Amino acid sequence: MGIRVLIVDDHPVVREGLRAVLDLCDDLEVVGEASAVTDALEVAASEDPDVVLLDLRLADGNGLTAIARLRSMEPAPTVVVLSSFVDDDYVRQAIRLGASGYLVKSAGPDAIIEGIRAAGRGEMPLDPGVARSLALARPDPLTRLTPRELEVLTLLARGKSNRSVADELVIGEKTVKTHVSSILAKLQVEDRTQAAVFAKDHGL
């Protein structure tokens, strides 16, 4: 049984080209196409693809918004980004939202085909350039924090409230809130509980 693929790209020529290439592979089956986030979700729900090949620039917005929604489906398809963008932020966001791979269009048909097959096997296909970029851009997230933010994070990890942190560091509670917001953004976590868990996991 072949890998069922949904192609999501806002350019008809790109979709047609990808379909033509994938149709030559006996183990791959294109079950649908979409040009927008809303269309992608509808087709995914009706066609139950194994792998969604997803561009980030779509007719109705950023493809990043589709990743989490696709991954929340039951059963959830594997999402592989296929984009012209190789920006580190896009890559990190895509993976954080649930993408299982990141390929670039300039890589050529063979790389895309092998990436889909790898995703179908449960692996994480990454374009070599993207993988190198991620490896070079993966410093300890704690190094992004200022000394004061590290102090605040350490106290958060001990379960301190904003008021308690303010009293201990002799700063205003509003200043603490500003530091907490900055910490959440830099660590890419959603709330102070996740920040506290992160801190404990990193020895603070």
Side-chain angles (χ1 to χ4, degrees):
M1 186 175 177
I3 300 171
R4 296 166 58 81
V5 182
L6 167 60
I7 300 170
V8 184
D9 194 290
D10 66 335
H11 293 293
V13 173
V14 174
R15 295 198 306 274
E16 291 169 10
L18 286 170
R19 177 184 279 274
V21 168
L22 300 186
D23 281 346
L24 296 175
C25 303
D26 293 337
D27 59 334
L28 304 179
E29 178 189 0
V30 178
V31 297
E33 299 178 17
S35 62
V37 174
T38 51
D39 294 339
L41 297 172
E42 290 176 5
V43 178
S46 64
E47 298 298 333
D48 190 23
D50 300 307
V51 175
V52 177
L53 203 57
L54 177 73
D55 191 11
L56 292 182
R57 181 172 287 176
L58 300 175
D60 60 348
N62 193 321
L64 289 170
T65 62
I67 296 174
R69 295 176 69 182
L70 286 165
R71 294 295 298 151
S72 68
M73 290 182 167
E74 187 60 46
T78 295
V79 179
V80 175
V81 172
L82 177 62
S83 177
S84 300
F85 296 105
V86 291
D87 182 272
D88 290 347
D89 287 338
Y90 277 114
V91 177
R92 282 195 295 269
Q93 286 185 68
I95 292 173
R96 182 165 52 85
L97 289 168
S100 296
Y102 200 108
L103 305 174
V104 295
K105 292 179 179 178
S106 59
D110 290 344
I112 294 171
I113 290 168
E114 289 308 312
I116 294 171
R117 288 171 175 159
R121 294 191 297 268
E123 300 171 11
M124 177 178 277
L126 290 175
D127 175 82
V130 169
R132 282 194 299 271
S133 179
L134 282 178
L136 292 172
R138 198 179 288 168
D140 183 348
L142 291 177
T143 62
R144 303 181 192 136
L145 304 185
T146 66
R148 177 62 89 187
E149 287 169 350
L150 276 172
E151 289 181 310
V152 172
L153 179 60
T154 300
L155 293 175
L156 291 183
R158 296 174 186 166
K160 300 280 188 178
S161 66
N162 285 355
R163 180 71 265 166
S164 297
V165 172
D167 290 343
E168 188 155 339
L169 298 180
V170 195
I171 56 177
E173 189 170 355
K174 186 175 180 180
T175 301
V176 173
K177 291 180 180 178
T178 300
H179 285 315
V180 170
S181 295
S182 178
I183 290 167
L184 299 184
K186 289 180 179 180
L187 298 185
Q188 296 185 340
V189 295
E190 295 181 0
D191 54 43
R192 58 193 295 128
T193 300
Q194 290 185 10
V197 171
F198 185 99
K200 291 178 180 178
D201 288 345
H202 286 74
L204 293 184

